[in-house]
């Protein structure tokens, strides 16, 4: 079976350096809030082009802590509306409701699946206080237009950059556009740890200080708690792993783009819709997502051919049992997307023979 993502193969590229980094942490005797985390925060902030990076436990915590910090800073209050794409992964919604804010679902752009500035503008009310711009599949949202819209209405912008490490518009990377951004380092991400991990990036020093305290039991100084905080910290050993992999992220992006170029050049089946690029040079291809009206049949066919594919995502947030507030509501474009998308195998280590196998199967379907 050709795997959707072979993480063993991906991490084998850096095996010796990862082992060296792990030994360095083990021998240091310091495993939480140590030098590896501090060094990674500096390096990732520089990579994104921002002043601050705060390591946290995972991507969901990154989003939740940003919104929580804005509440502590008086920029948000319970019941405020937060605009978010209707077709996002549920984590984007969970971060809003966990803070007792009100998610306002907006249908995406029908071509890129990212937030549409016009539809976003139409959804703004006097209660709207923030926008979560999700950079879906590795393609950065139209941040120039969204930031103009936010400035016009005095709104906060949070980038959900969990799938977009290194994505950019005109050379300006994800994580540096909004007032803050949340990243995930889940192992399958373009910059993936060997376990869970996440980070917040921002140029706002007060926000950075508040998030550091909130993620450390609400403490800015040992045994002094200024907030009712949580325990959300990036582990030393994961930070060490990420420092190794960050050095190679640009090369990995090039390899992903090479694989995608093959898909785009040779996939040729009128029953399959290929991804639409907004700005090709800025897409980092966390996922290569095609669409087919009878997607399930295509997935079954590929499985029979020994090719693993995945669905990102089969059930939209408004259809989840966790969210009864949208019971009976319909978001037709979002539902159509969730019923038709299929992600094909993609990684920095996928070779041309594997790509040819996938393309041949898809073209013959």
């Amino acid at each position: 079976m050709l795997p959707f993502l072979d993480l063993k193969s991906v991490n084998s590229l850096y095996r010796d350096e990862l082992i060296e980094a792990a030994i360095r942490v083990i021998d240091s005797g310091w495993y939480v809030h140590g030098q590896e985390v501090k060094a990674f925060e500096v390096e990732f902030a520089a990579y994104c082009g921002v002043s601050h990076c705060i390591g946290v436990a995972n991507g969901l915590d990154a989003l939740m802590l940003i919104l929580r910090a804005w509440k502590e800073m008086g920029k948000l209050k319970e019941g405020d509306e937060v605009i978010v794409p209707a077709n996002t992964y549920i984590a984007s919604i969970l971060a809003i409701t966990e803070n007792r804010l009100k998610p306002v679902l907006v249908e995406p752009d029908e071509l890129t699946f990212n937030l549409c500035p016009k539809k976003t503008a139409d959804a703004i009310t006097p209660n709207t206080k923030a926008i979560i711009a999700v950079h879906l599949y590795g393609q950065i949202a139209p941040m120039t237009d969204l930031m103009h819209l936010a400035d016009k209405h005095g709104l906060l912008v949070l980038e959900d950059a969990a799938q977009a490490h290194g994505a950019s518009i005109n050379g300006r990377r994800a994580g540096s556009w909004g007032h803050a951004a949340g990243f995930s380092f889940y192992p399958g991400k373009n910059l993936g740890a060997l376990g869970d991990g996440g980070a917040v990036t921002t140029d706002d020093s007060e926000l950075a200080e508040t998030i550091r305290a909130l993620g450390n039991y609400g403490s800015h100084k040992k045994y002094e708690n200024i907030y009712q905080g949580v325990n959300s910290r990036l582990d030393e050993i994961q930070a060490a792993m990420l420092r190794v992999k960050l050095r190679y992220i640009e090369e990995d992006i090039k390899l992903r783009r090479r694989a995608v170029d093959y898909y785009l050049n040779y996939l040729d089946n009128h029953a399959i819709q290929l991804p639409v690029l907004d700005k090709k040079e800025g897409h980092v291809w966390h996922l290569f997502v095609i669409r087919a009206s009878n997607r399930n049949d295509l997935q079954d066919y590929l499985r029979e051919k020994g090719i693993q594919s995945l669905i990102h995502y089969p059930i939209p947030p408004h259809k989840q049992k966790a969210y009864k507030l949208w019971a009976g509501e319909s978001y037709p474009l979002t539902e159509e997307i969730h019923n038709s998308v299929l992600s094909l195998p993609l990684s920095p280590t996928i070779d041309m023979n594997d790509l040819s196998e996938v393309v041949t199967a898809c073209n013959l379907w």
Side-chain angles (χ1 to χ4, degrees), residues 227-272:
Y227 308 111
Q228 296 177 27
V230 297
N231 176 11
S232 183
R233 302 177 295 205
L234 180 63
D235 288 337
E236 275 288 284
I237 202 157
Q238 297 303 340
M241 302 294 105
L242 289 165
R243 291 185 68 198
V244 170
K245 298 181 76 173
L246 180 60
R247 294 198 289 268
Y248 298 100
I249 189 171
E250 287 300 306
E251 180 61 27
D252 284 357
I253 291 171
K254 288 179 183 177
L255 292 171
R256 287 177 176 274
R257 287 174 175 162
R258 184 180 69 174
V260 166
D261 283 343
Y262 188 93
Y263 276 148
L264 293 176
N265 287 329
Y266 295 106
L267 273 170
D268 186 15
N269 184 327
H270 294 304
I272 294 174

Coordinates of all heavy atoms in Angstrom, one line a residue, residues 227-272:
Y227 N -3.3 35.2 36.7 CA -4.4 34.7 35.9 C -4.8 33.3 36.4 O -4.0 32.6 37.0 CB -4.2 34.7 34.4 CG -3.6 35.9 33.8 CD1 -2.3 36.0 33.3 CD2 -4.4 37.1 33.7 CE1 -1.8 37.1 32.8 CE2 -3.9 38.2 33.1 CZ -2.6 38.3 32.7 OH -2.1 39.4 32.1
Q228 N -6.0 32.9 36.1 CA -6.4 31.5 36.3 C -6.0 30.8 35.0 O -6.8 30.6 34.1 CB -7.9 31.4 36.5 CG -8.4 32.0 37.8 CD -9.9 32.0 38.0 OE1 -10.5 31.1 37.5 NE2 -10.4 32.9 38.7
G229 N -4.7 30.4 35.0 CA -4.2 29.9 33.7 C -4.3 28.4 33.5 O -5.0 27.7 34.2
V230 N -3.5 27.9 32.6 CA -3.5 26.5 32.2 C -2.0 26.0 32.1 O -1.1 26.8 32.2 CB -4.2 26.2 30.9 CG1 -5.7 26.5 31.0 CG2 -3.6 26.9 29.8
N231 N -1.8 24.7 31.9 CA -0.5 24.2 31.7 C -0.4 23.9 30.2 O -0.9 22.9 29.8 CB -0.3 22.9 32.6 CG 1.1 22.3 32.3 OD1 1.9 22.9 31.6 ND2 1.3 21.1 32.8
S232 N 0.2 24.7 29.5 CA 0.4 24.5 28.0 C 1.8 25.0 27.6 O 2.0 26.2 27.3 CB -0.7 25.3 27.2 OG -0.6 25.0 25.9
R233 N 2.7 24.0 27.6 CA 4.1 24.4 27.3 C 4.7 23.4 26.3 O 4.4 22.3 26.2 CB 4.9 24.3 28.6 CG 4.4 25.2 29.7 CD 5.1 25.1 31.0 NE 5.0 23.7 31.6 CZ 5.1 23.5 32.9 NH1 5.4 24.5 33.8 NH2 5.0 22.3 33.4
L234 N 5.5 24.0 25.4 CA 6.2 23.1 24.4 C 7.4 22.4 25.2 O 8.2 23.0 25.8 CB 6.8 24.0 23.3 CG 7.6 23.3 22.2 CD1 6.7 22.4 21.4 CD2 8.2 24.4 21.3
D235 N 7.4 21.1 25.0 CA 8.5 20.3 25.7 C 9.8 20.6 25.1 O 10.0 20.9 23.9 CB 8.2 18.8 25.5 CG 7.0 18.3 26.4 OD1 6.7 19.0 27.4 OD2 6.4 17.3 26.0
E236 N 10.9 20.5 26.0 CA 12.2 20.7 25.5 C 12.6 19.8 24.4 O 13.2 20.2 23.4 CB 13.2 20.5 26.7 CG 13.4 21.7 27.6 CD 14.3 22.8 26.9 OE1 15.5 22.6 26.8 OE2 13.6 23.8 26.5
I237 N 12.3 18.5 24.5 CA 12.7 17.6 23.5 C 12.0 17.8 22.2 O 12.6 17.6 21.1 CB 12.5 16.1 24.0 CG1 13.5 15.2 23.2 CG2 11.1 15.7 23.9 CD1 13.8 13.9 24.0
Q238 N 10.7 18.3 22.2 CA 10.1 18.6 21.0 C 10.7 19.8 20.3 O 10.8 19.9 19.1 CB 8.6 18.7 21.2 CG 7.9 17.4 21.6 CD 8.1 16.3 20.7 OE1 8.4 16.4 19.5 NE2 7.9 15.1 21.2
A239 N 11.0 20.8 21.2 CA 11.6 22.0 20.6 C 13.0 21.7 20.0 O 13.3 22.2 18.9 CB 11.9 23.0 21.8
A240 N 13.7 20.7 20.6 CA 15.0 20.3 19.9 C 14.7 19.6 18.6 O 15.5 19.8 17.6 CB 15.7 19.4 20.9
M241 N 13.7 18.8 18.5 CA 13.4 18.2 17.3 C 13.0 19.2 16.2 O 13.4 19.1 15.0 CB 12.2 17.2 17.4 CG 12.3 16.1 18.4 SD 13.6 14.9 18.0 CE 14.9 15.3 19.2
L242 N 12.2 20.2 16.6 CA 11.7 21.2 15.7 C 12.9 22.1 15.2 O 12.9 22.6 14.1 CB 10.7 22.1 16.4 CG 9.3 21.4 16.6 CD1 8.4 22.1 17.5 CD2 8.6 21.2 15.2
R243 N 13.9 22.3 16.1 CA 15.0 23.1 15.7 C 15.8 22.4 14.5 O 16.2 23.1 13.6 CB 16.0 23.4 16.8 CG 15.4 24.3 17.9 CD 16.5 24.5 19.0 NE 17.6 25.3 18.4 CZ 18.8 25.4 19.0 NH1 19.1 24.7 20.1 NH2 19.7 26.2 18.4
V244 N 15.9 21.1 14.6 CA 16.5 20.4 13.5 C 15.7 20.5 12.2 O 16.2 20.9 11.2 CB 16.6 18.9 13.9 CG1 17.1 18.1 12.7 CG2 17.6 18.7 15.0
K245 N 14.4 20.3 12.3 CA 13.6 20.3 11.1 C 13.4 21.6 10.5 O 13.1 21.8 9.3 CB 12.3 19.5 11.4 CG 12.5 18.1 11.8 CD 11.2 17.3 12.1 CE 10.5 17.0 10.9 NZ 9.3 16.1 11.1
L246 N 13.4 22.7 11.4 CA 13.2 24.0 10.9 C 14.4 24.4 9.9 O 14.1 25.1 8.9 CB 13.2 25.0 12.0 CG 13.0 26.5 11.7 CD1 11.7 26.8 10.9 CD2 13.1 27.4 12.9
R247 N 15.5 23.8 10.1 CA 16.7 24.1 9.2 C 16.4 23.6 7.8 O 17.1 24.1 6.8 CB 17.9 23.5 9.8 CG 18.4 24.1 11.1 CD 19.9 23.8 11.3 NE 20.1 22.4 11.7 CZ 20.1 21.9 13.0 NH1 19.8 22.8 14.0 NH2 20.3 20.7 13.2
Y248 N 15.5 22.7 7.6 CA 15.3 22.0 6.3 C 13.9 22.4 5.7 O 13.6 21.8 4.7 CB 15.4 20.5 6.5 CG 16.8 20.1 6.9 CD1 17.1 19.7 8.2 CD2 17.8 20.0 6.0 CE1 18.3 19.3 8.6 CE2 19.1 19.6 6.4 CZ 19.4 19.3 7.7 OH 20.6 18.9 8.1
I249 N 13.2 23.2 6.4 CA 11.8 23.4 5.9 C 11.7 24.0 4.5 O 10.8 23.6 3.7 CB 11.0 24.3 6.9 CG1 9.5 24.3 6.6 CG2 11.6 25.7 7.0 CD1 8.6 25.0 7.6
E250 N 12.6 24.9 4.2 CA 12.5 25.4 2.8 C 12.8 24.4 1.7 O 12.2 24.4 0.7 CB 13.5 26.6 2.7 CG 13.0 27.9 3.4 CD 11.7 28.4 2.9 OE1 11.5 28.6 1.7 OE2 10.7 28.5 3.7
E251 N 13.7 23.5 2.0 CA 14.0 22.4 1.1 C 12.8 21.5 1.0 O 12.5 21.0 -0.1 CB 15.3 21.6 1.5 CG 15.6 20.5 0.6 CD 16.0 20.9 -0.8 OE1 16.4 22.0 -1.0 OE2 15.8 20.1 -1.7
D252 N 12.2 21.2 2.1 CA 11.0 20.3 2.2 C 9.9 21.0 1.3 O 9.2 20.3 0.6 CB 10.5 20.1 3.6 CG 11.4 19.1 4.3 OD1 12.3 18.6 3.7 OD2 11.2 18.9 5.5
I253 N 9.7 22.3 1.4 CA 8.7 22.9 0.7 C 9.0 22.8 -0.8 O 8.1 22.6 -1.6 CB 8.6 24.4 1.1 CG1 8.0 24.6 2.5 CG2 7.7 25.2 0.1 CD1 8.1 26.0 3.0
K254 N 10.2 22.9 -1.2 CA 10.6 22.8 -2.6 C 10.2 21.4 -3.1 O 9.7 21.2 -4.2 CB 12.1 23.0 -2.8 CG 12.5 24.5 -2.7 CD 14.0 24.6 -2.9 CE 14.5 26.1 -2.7 NZ 15.9 26.2 -2.8
L255 N 10.5 20.4 -2.3 CA 10.2 19.0 -2.7 C 8.7 18.8 -2.8 O 8.2 18.0 -3.7 CB 10.8 18.0 -1.6 CG 12.3 18.0 -1.6 CD1 12.8 17.1 -0.4 CD2 12.9 17.4 -2.9
R256 N 7.9 19.4 -1.9 CA 6.5 19.3 -2.0 C 6.0 19.9 -3.3 O 5.1 19.4 -4.0 CB 5.8 20.0 -0.8 CG 5.9 19.2 0.5 CD 5.3 19.9 1.7 NE 5.4 19.1 2.9 CZ 4.4 18.3 3.3 NH1 3.4 18.1 2.5 NH2 4.5 17.6 4.4
R257 N 6.5 21.1 -3.6 CA 6.1 21.8 -4.8 C 6.5 21.0 -6.1 O 5.7 21.0 -7.0 CB 6.7 23.2 -4.8 CG 6.1 24.2 -3.8 CD 6.8 25.5 -3.8 NE 6.1 26.4 -2.9 CZ 6.7 27.5 -2.4 NH1 8.0 27.8 -2.6 NH2 6.0 28.3 -1.6
R258 N 7.6 20.3 -6.0 CA 8.0 19.5 -7.2 C 7.0 18.4 -7.4 O 6.6 18.1 -8.5 CB 9.4 18.9 -7.0 CG 9.9 18.2 -8.2 CD 11.3 17.6 -7.9 NE 11.3 16.5 -6.9 CZ 12.3 15.8 -6.6 NH1 13.5 16.0 -7.2 NH2 12.2 14.8 -5.7
A259 N 6.6 17.8 -6.3 CA 5.6 16.7 -6.4 C 4.2 17.2 -6.9 O 3.6 16.6 -7.7 CB 5.4 16.0 -5.0
V260 N 3.9 18.4 -6.4 CA 2.6 19.0 -6.8 C 2.6 19.4 -8.3 O 1.6 19.2 -9.0 CB 2.2 20.2 -5.9 CG1 1.1 21.0 -6.5 CG2 1.9 19.7 -4.5
D261 N 3.8 19.9 -8.7 CA 3.9 20.2 -10.2 C 3.6 19.0 -11.0 O 3.0 19.1 -12.1 CB 5.3 20.8 -10.4 CG 5.4 22.2 -10.0 OD1 4.4 22.9 -9.8 OD2 6.6 22.7 -9.9
Y262 N 4.1 17.8 -10.6 CA 3.9 16.6 -11.3 C 2.4 16.3 -11.4 O 1.8 16.0 -12.4 CB 4.6 15.4 -10.7 CG 4.6 14.2 -11.5 CD1 5.6 13.9 -12.4 CD2 3.5 13.3 -11.4 CE1 5.6 12.7 -13.2 CE2 3.5 12.1 -12.1 CZ 4.5 11.8 -13.0 OH 4.4 10.7 -13.8
Y263 N 1.7 16.4 -10.2 CA 0.3 16.2 -10.2 C -0.5 17.1 -11.1 O -1.3 16.7 -11.9 CB -0.2 16.4 -8.7 CG -0.1 15.2 -7.8 CD1 0.1 15.4 -6.4 CD2 -0.3 13.9 -8.3 CE1 0.2 14.3 -5.6 CE2 -0.2 12.8 -7.4 CZ 0.0 13.0 -6.1 OH 0.1 12.0 -5.2
L264 N -0.1 18.4 -11.0 CA -0.8 19.4 -11.8 C -0.6 19.3 -13.3 O -1.4 19.5 -14.1 CB -0.4 20.8 -11.4 CG -0.9 21.2 -9.9 CD1 -0.3 22.6 -9.6 CD2 -2.4 21.2 -9.8
N265 N 0.6 18.8 -13.7 CA 0.9 18.6 -15.1 C 0.4 17.4 -15.7 O 0.1 17.4 -16.9 CB 2.5 18.6 -15.2 CG 3.1 20.0 -15.1 OD1 2.4 21.0 -15.3 ND2 4.3 20.0 -14.6
Y266 N 0.2 16.3 -14.9 CA -0.2 15.0 -15.5 C -1.5 14.5 -15.1 O -2.0 13.6 -15.7 CB 0.9 14.0 -15.2 CG 2.2 14.4 -15.8 CD1 3.3 14.9 -15.1 CD2 2.4 14.2 -17.2 CE1 4.5 15.2 -15.7 CE2 3.6 14.6 -17.8 CZ 4.6 15.1 -17.1 OH 5.8 15.4 -17.7
L267 N -2.1 15.0 -14.0 CA -3.5 14.6 -13.7 C -4.4 15.1 -14.7 O -4.5 16.3 -15.0 CB -3.9 15.1 -12.3 CG -3.5 14.2 -11.1 CD1 -3.8 14.9 -9.8 CD2 -4.3 12.9 -11.1
D268 N -5.2 14.2 -15.4 CA -6.0 14.6 -16.5 C -7.3 13.7 -16.5 O -7.3 12.7 -17.3 CB -5.3 14.6 -17.8 CG -6.1 15.1 -19.0 OD1 -7.1 15.8 -18.7 OD2 -5.7 14.9 -20.1
N269 N -8.3 14.1 -15.8 CA -9.5 13.4 -15.7 C -10.6 14.4 -15.5 O -10.6 15.1 -14.4 CB -9.5 12.3 -14.6 CG -10.7 11.4 -14.6 OD1 -11.8 11.9 -14.9 ND2 -10.5 10.2 -14.2
H270 N -11.6 14.5 -16.4 CA -12.6 15.5 -16.3 C -13.5 15.3 -15.1 O -14.2 16.2 -14.7 CB -13.4 15.6 -17.6 CG -12.7 16.0 -18.8 ND1 -12.0 17.2 -18.8 CD2 -12.4 15.4 -20.0 CE1 -11.4 17.3 -20.0 NE2 -11.6 16.3 -20.7
A271 N -13.4 14.1 -14.5 CA -14.3 13.9 -13.3 C -13.6 14.3 -12.0 O -14.2 14.3 -11.0 CB -14.6 12.4 -13.2
I272 N -12.3 14.8 -12.2 CA -11.6 15.2 -11.0 C -11.2 16.7 -11.2 O -10.7 17.1 -12.2 CB -10.3 14.4 -10.9 CG1 -10.6 12.9 -10.5 CG2 -9.4 15.0 -9.8 CD1 -9.4 12.0 -10.5

